[in-house]
Amino acid sequence: MRSRWWYVVAALVSALGWIVAVAFTAGTWDELRDSTVIPSGQPFDAEGHDVAVLTDLPQPGRDITCEAVGPGEERTEISSDSIVDVTVMTDGTRWHLIALMEDGRADMTVECTPGDELSDSASYGYALVNDLDGRDLTGSLIAWGSLAAALVIAVLTTWRRRTTP
């Protein structure tokens, strides 16, 4: 009967590890929320930073494409896949995250255009953030580590139950 409690301990280790990992990873966006959004249009140096692209007027049904331009004629589409709803307040304006570029470049600008080529009254801006992936990786390690620890506890408990008379 006593060894069955170790299965409960294993389940708790796994569940608590998952909760800690989710809370830790959710804190990733705190750096963006605390940043200052700068209206796009001017070249900036984003080398060594991630670039968050934001708008003051979210348009959920409209296809907006953002590109990193520069240095020179180099153009790279900025991914809007898997974007969560993160808002940033800067000078009384609420900005909404619409795209995120990992590993920005020196002397680049951000350009956003609607896919339907109709007029667009939204303003776009950017914010520089540091290493969003690093915190995400650490959160994943916490989650997988707690699952591995729970699995070890469960296997050892099963082995001990079978070998102990």
Side-chain angles (χ1 to χ4, degrees), residues 50-83:
D50 295 337
V51 179
V53 182
L54 303 104
T55 183
D56 65 342
L57 181 63
Q59 303 172 61
R62 197 169 188 194
D63 180 34
I64 307 292
T65 303
C66 296
E67 291 182 311
V69 180
E73 296 296 318
E74 186 177 354
R75 298 180 88 80
T76 306
E77 186 172 337
I78 301 174
S79 175
S80 60
D81 297 338
S82 305
I83 295 297

Side-chain angles (χ1 to χ4, degrees), residues 6 23 67 69 84-85 145 164:
W6 285 107
E67 291 182 311
V69 180
V84 296
D85 186 26
T164 305

Side-chain angles (χ1 to χ4, degrees), residues 6 24-25 28 32-33 35 41 52-53 59 61 63 71 82 110 117 126 132 142 146 154 160-161 163-164:
W6 285 107
F24 183 82
T25 305
T28 300
L32 176 58
R33 287 186 187 101
S35 66
V53 182
Q59 303 172 61
D63 180 34
S82 305
V110 172
E117 298 181 9
Y126 67 90
L132 294 177
I142 292 169
S146 66
R160 186 166 180 248
R161 287 182 73 193
T163 58
T164 305

